[in-house]
Amino acid sequence: MRRNTVSWGIAAGRHPAVHACLKTGRSAVGWLLVTVAALTLPTRPGASGDVRAAEPIQLDPIIQQVEQARIDAIDRARPSAVSVYVPGGGGGGSGVLISKEGYALTNFHVTSPAGSFMRCSLSDGRVYDAVLVGLDPVGDLAMIRLLGRDDFPAATMANSLAAQPGDWCMVIGNPFLLASNLQPTVTWGILSGVGRYQYPSGTLLEYADCLQTDASINPGNSGGPIYNADGELLGIVGRCSFEKRGRVNVGVGYAISINQAKNFLGYLHSGRIVDHATLGATVTTDPDGGVVVSNILESSDAYRRGLRYNAEILEIDGRPVSTANDVQNVLGTFPNAWRIEVVFRVDGETKRAPIRLMSVHQKDELLAKMSAALPPPPPVPDAPEETPDGSPSPEDSPNEGEDGEGDDSQQPQDQPPSEGEPKPQEESPDNPHTGGKKSIPPQVAQRIIDRRGYANYYFNQLEQDRFIESLRAQFPGGKADERVSWVINGKTSEGAEVKLNVAQDLYAMVVGDNALQAGSQSELFDAVEAQTIGGILPALDAWRMMLQTGPKKFGETYYLGTMPLGGQRPLRDCTVGLYGGMEIRWLLHPETGNVECIEVFADQDSDPAELWLYRDGDNVNRMELRYGTEPVLNIDVSEWKQVEPSQP
């Protein structure tokens, strides 16, 4: 008796339909047996001996619903996937759009061969010029910006901490650079594990708290997105385990979690080359359970906050830790200079404190290691290459705007660099990663500025401009080149009268019966170093001077990125300026743009003066000066006047 047979290539428990049955309480095995039996019923010969066709298969509505959900998820995810190509044919990889303005994430090792400029294609069939924005060589992340539109299809970000082993996932990208037809490859699988940690092993790259998947990942998928079953972005594909000879996927791939990437977005937007964080202490797993401190730097903020040798660490940033691997897994997801809450137990007492994290590398050390990891520059073609059908290849196609003619007119209009700043890339023809100015389109060249310590200083300038515009738009405000002087009156929380005068070379305060006056910035430095209430004066004066001069004339100023304030989210924008031998940090609320805190560092190995600002509507009505976590002065502000410089 003849039978029609169906070959099943998906194992029970792996198929979405079976998964749906399991979730709804149905028996997956029973469903498979019924389905296979229905598909393998014997056919009945007709009168003429011919075999009659089987009846159409009627799928369970639940199965249809699950399959349609998978198709819809792929359709939602695919538009945000990016295929990256190195100009000149030097390689490529994948990426993913995270904003409608064209900002995208990929791997550091994908952008390295390209340098500052690359070509990117989307599933809409268009090719766009892209420029490097920022680099995280330790975490293998890079930010690029696609040019030509202001309405790019951005991915929806998931919470990767909610992901669990066994969850369905998909990878969309450009394996083996196969997306020459501008259509990315989609593979499907499960999360095999979460919270994986891989040591640097003699290299810069440290993969912390990453996701493991059996979805097919191959060379060229690097930097691309991994999505959950709803089409939300879970992470950025990074490392993969390959069969040694053929570089063939063996079902073990890793992705940087999107939660880690979120922590670094502000730093990457700064255009800098950024570093990761360390606690300033080493830990070990106690044989009896728990994780204890095995060594600690006395110069670290962790030590100043009370962490000691043999203390037990319980939580970091709200995440419980029970092994040394847990600690490194969490710390590896933070940028340097962040302040996060740590819960620990010392001598039987449980403490909770915000701790400032240190850098894993010294600045010059990081740049040297990164430079050693860079590949040689790719060749520059003499003329555009053609595909077999005669059309330009993706790496040589024009940057297309909405009209498809390569017009850049609908591209967001960033401001060009100010006078006196480093020149754009088009005037730096010897850059080893660009092949000279002739190989870079004008709309890209005007967005590249070389400066040591930066992946692209142009984007730091954009953030500095945004910072001073926000600063001058809020209370107490100020205009460019306007001489600003302040008189502030109020009372302490104990009822003592307070008067503050802040003007050029005149810094004075009266608190009750105590009067303080400084005539130079060196005296302000001493007030911070001695951790006196006089530390409020350099914070106010730096604010006043920034309003008056702007970042270009204030001194060395740069946008650092985003970080928690006092260990608490949301992440605040942080701009740094050097002033009178002190480092000043302004922390602004991400939505209002208001200054919430000004930190003044006289020494990186001691607590800064922190001026916290509280508002009633637009006006500052209370100020608090802290060193570490302890307030030393509280002022209820009754009057804040801007006066002529001669009046104070």
Side-chain angles (χ1 to χ4, degrees):
M1 183 176 295
R2 300 178 59 187
R3 296 176 179 266
N4 292 332
T5 60
V6 175
S7 175
W8 291 85
I10 303 177
R14 288 284 307 279
H15 194 275
V18 181
H19 184 63
C21 290
L22 291 171
K23 291 182 69 175
T24 56
R26 297 168 182 255
S27 167
V29 175
W31 177 86
L32 277 175
L33 291 174
V34 170
T35 305
V36 172
L39 293 173
T40 57
L41 289 175
T43 58
R44 297 187 298 273
S48 61
D50 295 334
V51 177
R52 189 170 61 186
E55 295 295 328
I57 299 173
Q58 298 297 322
L59 292 179
D60 189 308
I62 293 179
I63 307 302
Q64 291 179 321
Q65 180 182 354
V66 171
E67 286 300 302
Q68 188 59 51
R70 181 175 62 86
I71 293 169
D72 293 342
I74 294 173
D75 289 342
R76 282 193 298 271
R78 183 161 32 200
S80 61
V82 178
S83 297
V84 180
Y85 296 92
V86 175
S94 307
V96 59
L97 286 159
I98 59 169
S99 80
K100 65 179 183 179
E101 293 81 15
Y103 289 99
L105 291 175
T106 183
N107 285 150
F108 163 67
H109 76 263
V110 169
T111 62
S112 293
S116 301
F117 161 57
M118 56 223 71
R119 292 286 176 87
C120 297
S121 68
L122 302 181
S123 62
D124 63 5
R126 297 174 180 172
V127 180
Y128 301 87
D129 292 327
V131 62
L132 181 67
V133 178
L135 289 175
D136 169 18
V138 177
D140 200 16
L141 275 176
M143 179 178 284
I144 61 177
R145 185 178 181 185
L146 279 63
L147 306 176
R149 293 170 59 180
D150 58 5
D151 62 344
F152 283 96
T156 300
M157 295 189 188
N159 176 12
S160 53
L161 284 178
Q164 296 293 327
D167 288 351
W168 296 107
C169 65
M170 56 181 151
V171 171
I172 303 181
N174 189 18
F176 301 111
L177 306 188
L178 291 174
S180 57
N181 64 347
L182 309 186
Q183 295 303 308
T185 298
V186 181
T187 58
W188 189 268
I190 63 169
L191 292 180
S192 309
V194 298
R196 300 297 199 224
Y197 179 76
Q198 296 186 22
Y199 290 90
S201 301
T203 70
L204 268 176
L205 303 183
E206 178 185 32
Y207 276 63
D209 206 29
C210 59
L211 307 171
Q212 179 186 336
T213 181
D214 70 347
S216 184
I217 294 174
N218 288 286
N221 276 119
S222 292
I226 180 171
Y227 302 93
N228 63 19
D230 295 323
E232 298 170 331
L233 183 60
L234 276 176
I236 308 300
V237 173
R239 281 178 170 169
C240 205
S241 297
F242 296 111
E243 190 278 324
K244 292 182 179 180
R245 294 185 179 180
R247 301 253 313 150
V248 176
N249 175 273
V250 294
V252 182
Y254 302 96
I256 303 157
S257 72
I258 197 59
N259 283 28
Q260 174 177 328
K262 290 175 186 177
N263 291 342
F264 280 84
L265 289 183
Y267 274 50
L268 292 172
H269 272 290
S270 74
R272 299 185 302 114
I273 298 170
V274 305
D275 198 6
H276 280 232
T278 177
L279 191 60
T282 58
V283 297
T284 185
T285 303
D286 193 295
D288 297 327
V291 54
V292 297
V293 175
S294 56
N295 200 359
I296 186 168
L297 295 174
E298 292 188 7
S299 60
S300 66
D301 192 61
Y303 189 87
R304 291 195 294 273
R305 301 286 76 80
L307 193 66
R308 294 292 184 268
Y309 171 78
N310 216 34
E312 182 182 5
I313 299 179
L314 305 175
E315 288 183 16
I316 299 178
D317 196 39
R319 296 179 61 179
V321 292
S322 56
T323 67
N325 188 76
D326 290 342
V327 171
Q328 191 57 41
N329 230 357
V330 178
L331 288 176
T333 65
F334 298 126
N336 68 306
W338 265 35
R339 201 176 186 186
I340 59 169
E341 279 205 342
V342 179
V343 180
F344 54 93
R345 185 181 294 120
V346 178
D347 298 328
E349 181 183 359
T350 300
K351 299 182 178 181
R352 179 185 300 270
I355 293 178
R356 296 180 191 273
L357 301 176
M358 305 173 68
S359 297
V360 173
H361 305 89
Q362 296 293 328
K363 182 177 179 180
D364 289 343
E365 177 191 10
L366 176 63
L367 296 179
K369 285 187 175 182
M370 191 191 78
S371 179
L374 291 174
V380 179
D382 296 328
E385 298 177 2
E386 293 188 350
T387 58
D389 64 0
S391 61
S393 63
E395 61 266 34
D396 295 305
S397 299
N399 184 68
E400 294 184 347
E402 282 290 340
D403 55 8
E405 298 296 330
D407 182 14
D408 195 43
S409 60
Q410 298 198 32
Q411 174 178 308
Q413 296 301 306
D414 297 330
Q415 295 297 319
S418 305
E419 292 185 7
E421 294 299 325
K423 298 298 184 182
Q425 184 63 57
E426 62 180 346
E427 298 187 22
S428 303
D430 297 326
N431 184 290
H433 287 300
T434 58
K437 64 182 180 181
K438 292 183 179 180
S439 63
I440 305 180
Q443 68 270 21
V444 175
Q446 68 182 11
R447 291 170 173 80
I448 302 175
I449 298 178
D450 292 327
R451 175 175 280 195
R452 179 174 171 78
Y454 291 84
N456 190 345
Y457 185 69
Y458 173 83
F459 288 93
N460 201 278
Q461 281 194 331
L462 292 183
E463 297 297 337
Q464 290 181 47
D465 292 342
R466 185 168 65 91
F467 160 71
I468 191 60
E469 181 180 351
S470 178
L471 205 64
R472 287 174 173 161
Q474 61 183 273
F475 173 88
K479 298 179 181 178
D481 300 323
E482 179 182 331
R483 296 285 293 225
V484 177
S485 298
W486 291 334
V487 173
I488 304 169
N489 295 316
K491 290 184 178 182
T492 67
S493 54
E494 292 80 19
E497 294 286 341
V498 176
K499 295 182 183 293
L500 299 168
N501 286 343
V502 184
Q504 189 71 33
D505 298 326
L506 177 59
Y507 323 105
M509 66 184 298
V510 177
V511 180
D513 296 330
N514 298 316
L516 299 171
Q517 183 170 322
S520 67
Q521 292 179 351
S522 63
E523 292 180 75
L524 299 180
F525 181 97
D526 293 339
V528 175
E529 191 173 45
Q531 299 193 351
T532 70
I533 60 174
I536 194 172
L537 293 174
L540 290 170
D541 191 54
W543 187 4
R544 181 190 68 84
M545 285 297 295
M546 179 61 76
L547 286 170
Q548 179 176 308
T549 65
K552 304 294 188 298
K553 298 179 181 179
F554 179 84
E556 184 180 345
T557 304
Y558 61 95
Y559 175 71
L560 180 71
T562 56
M563 61 174 57
L565 174 57
Q568 300 297 319
R569 290 169 171 79
L571 302 182
R572 274 70 169 189
D573 286 294
C574 181
T575 299
V576 178
L578 301 184
Y579 174 67
M582 297 170 282
E583 180 180 293
I584 316 295
R585 295 181 184 175
W586 290 265
L587 284 90
L588 279 62
H589 194 279
E591 295 178 2
T592 65
N594 287 335
V595 180
E596 292 186 297
C597 185
I598 301 173
E599 299 179 340
V600 183
F601 291 80
D603 185 343
Q604 292 294 329
D605 292 336
S606 62
D607 288 326
E610 301 176 30
L611 178 59
W612 289 60
L613 303 163
Y614 302 91
R615 298 171 186 260
D616 179 13
D618 293 332
N619 297 329
V620 174
N621 67 339
R622 188 163 70 89
M623 297 188 294
E624 181 179 273
L625 180 67
R626 302 180 188 177
Y627 290 95
T629 58
E630 298 300 322
V632 297
L633 180 65
N634 282 283
I635 302 174
D636 292 321
V637 178
S638 59
E639 184 181 40
W640 191 313
K641 295 189 299 184
Q642 185 164 304
V643 299
E644 294 297 324
S646 59
Q647 285 184 259

